[in-house]
Amino acid sequence: MKRRWATLVAAALAMNVFVLPGAVQASTTEAIADTGGMTLLLGVPGAPLDIAVTLDEIGHITEVLVSDPTFSEDRGGDHKVRFSNEDDTTRVEIKAKNNKLRAAVKTADLASILGAHTWKAALFASGQETEVTFEVADDGAGNPVLENVAVGALFPTDATAEVGDVKTEVDDEEAESSVKVDFLWNGYKMTLKIKAEVEFDDDDDDDDDRHVTLKVELKGKDQQRLRDMLLEDLLGTYTWDVNLCDGTDVAVTYTIAEPGTVTVDEVTMAGIATDAYELKVKNHGFDLRFDDSKARLSVDLKNHDGSWDLKVKSKTTEKCKDHDDDDDDDEKKKDHDDSKKDDDDHDGDDD
């Protein structure tokens, strides 16, 4: 797997390389693909469960391992894989698409998700796994509550992590407990959301009619925001190198120079200079979109009384059409609602 994030540590940010290996079908964003996957270790007393997910360099699911031999795969695809146990009482669902990598354990018994758990993934292409530990407990009334959420190992070593407050809600239809952990590095942000939920069927509180879910989801977009920088620390030549949906390699080389100018030097397609794009030049930046493609790059510099902000946003194959997208409308609506609730600097940037 190519490691784009690691290249961004170059002195004074002299060279930033955005690399997304070729793919004809849709994939995750580079931020998710570069993790290589994740592991979720459920320390359920008497019934521990290990789930290991492997992604290829464009974010497709290549392997999912579930330690319990009673689980077998009953649905598979590039973006979504599902395992069920023999009596179909518990399911493990893995999804890797767009800017998300998710693992969900669905069962009817709250006891099946109780315990001390560990999530691991290599963030920002560090090659070393960041670790988050947490516990799911019973509040005494059959409702889940998250406790002792902590970040253990953290990579890159100069990254920072912020653990949010645990939010717990209980009503007649469901009880849920959730928390977010933000990871920040070099102007990039990734967020891990953990949620334990019990949904009750209407007018029936019998355990057999409860739907219990533990969901762990990592989100990350290819967006860099550096604030309050010295201009001299941003000067240099940058290359954005990605692929269109048909696999064609495209690259944009641009230069940041005194007194804050941003100039596009060259645009290539399959290694050859091309004019198959639309360029909008702005003060201290530009927007570039390729013809007949959703791939685009936006670079903006802003001066604030001598300090500078740099914002680099890109879109690549995550907007390509999928052929194995079998999500139902309810899941799509939940994803949309969750996205609207997220109040971070990296959302709401499609235009």
Side-chain angles (χ1 to χ4, degrees):
M1 174 169 298
K2 296 183 180 180
R3 299 296 181 185
R4 171 176 65 87
W5 301 91
T7 68
L8 300 179
V9 190
L13 303 179
M15 178 70 78
N16 283 0
V17 181
F18 299 78
V19 178
L20 181 57
V24 175
Q25 304 303 331
S27 65
T28 66
T29 63
E30 185 80 6
I32 295 301
D34 267 348
T35 65
M38 67 177 181
T39 58
L40 180 60
L41 314 176
L42 301 184
V44 180
L49 187 67
D50 294 356
I51 303 166
V53 182
T54 302
L55 304 180
D56 66 15
E57 58 188 5
I58 58 174
H60 290 171
I61 299 171
T62 60
E63 185 177 50
V64 177
L65 299 177
V66 179
S67 62
D68 187 336
T70 67
F71 282 80
S72 59
E73 182 178 323
D74 54 18
R75 179 184 297 175
D78 286 340
H79 301 290
K80 191 172 182 180
V81 175
R82 188 178 73 185
F83 282 70
S84 300
N85 61 358
E86 290 177 346
D87 55 8
D88 201 28
T89 57
T90 302
R91 293 180 177 179
V92 173
E93 295 182 356
I94 306 299
K95 184 178 181 181
K97 190 177 178 185
N98 295 338
N99 64 325
K100 300 176 183 179
L101 174 58
R102 174 195 302 168
V105 178
K106 299 183 177 183
T107 183
D109 184 5
L110 179 60
S112 296
I113 65 168
L114 298 180
H117 312 317
T118 302
W119 172 93
K120 296 181 181 180
L123 305 181
F124 311 114
S126 63
Q128 295 177 282
E129 291 184 324
T130 290
E131 178 182 284
V132 176
T133 57
F134 61 97
E135 296 180 21
V136 180
D138 187 329
D139 69 353
N143 304 315
V145 58
L146 294 175
E147 299 177 340
N148 300 321
V149 182
V151 178
L154 177 61
F155 298 98
T157 55
D158 58 345
T160 60
E162 301 174 357
V163 179
D165 295 332
V166 174
K167 298 180 180 180
T168 301
E169 299 179 5
V170 179
D171 57 33
D172 292 337
E173 296 182 353
E174 65 179 1
E176 71 172 50
S177 186
S178 64
V179 67
K180 290 182 181 179
V181 183
D182 290 331
F183 302 100
L184 309 170
W185 178 77
N186 197 29
Y188 290 93
K189 179 178 180 179
M190 303 185 80
T191 298
L192 180 70
K193 183 176 181 180
I194 305 167
K195 182 168 73 172
E197 181 180 35
V198 176
E199 295 180 279
F200 307 98
D201 281 355
D202 293 340
D203 302 322
D204 194 338
D205 292 332
D206 186 83
D207 285 347
D208 291 338
D209 293 311
R210 290 185 178 185
H211 306 282
V212 178
T213 303
L214 173 63
K215 182 188 298 184
V216 181
E217 178 181 87
L218 180 69
K219 296 177 62 177
K221 293 184 178 181
D222 283 338
Q223 298 179 18
Q224 183 183 32
R225 294 189 178 184
L226 294 168
R227 294 182 170 88
D228 299 325
M229 304 289 293
L230 294 175
L231 180 59
E232 62 190 59
D233 290 334
L234 297 173
L235 301 180
T237 299
Y238 298 70
T239 298
W240 182 74
D241 187 6
V242 299
N243 288 84
L244 304 181
C245 291
D246 64 0
T248 302
D249 176 76
V250 295
V252 179
T253 301
Y254 61 95
T255 298
I256 298 177
E258 293 278 9
T261 60
V262 183
T263 305
V264 175
D265 304 315
E266 185 179 40
V267 181
T268 62
M269 182 174 294
I272 302 173
T274 180
D275 60 0
Y277 61 89
E278 177 184 348
L279 177 64
K280 179 181 178 181
V281 178
K282 304 181 292 186
N283 290 332
H284 308 301
F286 65 88
D287 289 326
L288 188 148
R289 296 175 183 242
F290 283 89
D291 295 348
D292 303 319
S293 171
K294 293 184 180 294
R296 64 186 190 265
L297 172 66
S298 174
V299 177
D300 288 286
L301 267 177
K302 289 186 178 181
N303 187 357
H304 301 285
D305 297 324
S307 66
W308 292 79
D309 294 348
L310 172 65
K311 179 168 64 175
V312 180
K313 300 191 299 182
S314 63
K315 289 290 184 181
T316 50
T317 56
E318 68 267 25
K319 291 295 185 179
C320 303
K321 183 178 179 180
D322 281 306
H323 294 284
D324 68 340
D325 184 5
D326 56 359
D327 297 334
D328 57 36
D329 291 337
D330 288 340
E331 184 171 356
K332 288 182 180 179
K333 184 177 184 303
K334 284 185 178 181
D335 286 345
H336 177 69
D337 291 343
D338 286 345
S339 295
K340 289 181 67 177
K341 291 178 183 178
D342 291 340
D343 184 21
D344 61 63
D345 288 340
H346 293 251
D347 285 343
D349 60 350
D350 286 340
D351 296 311

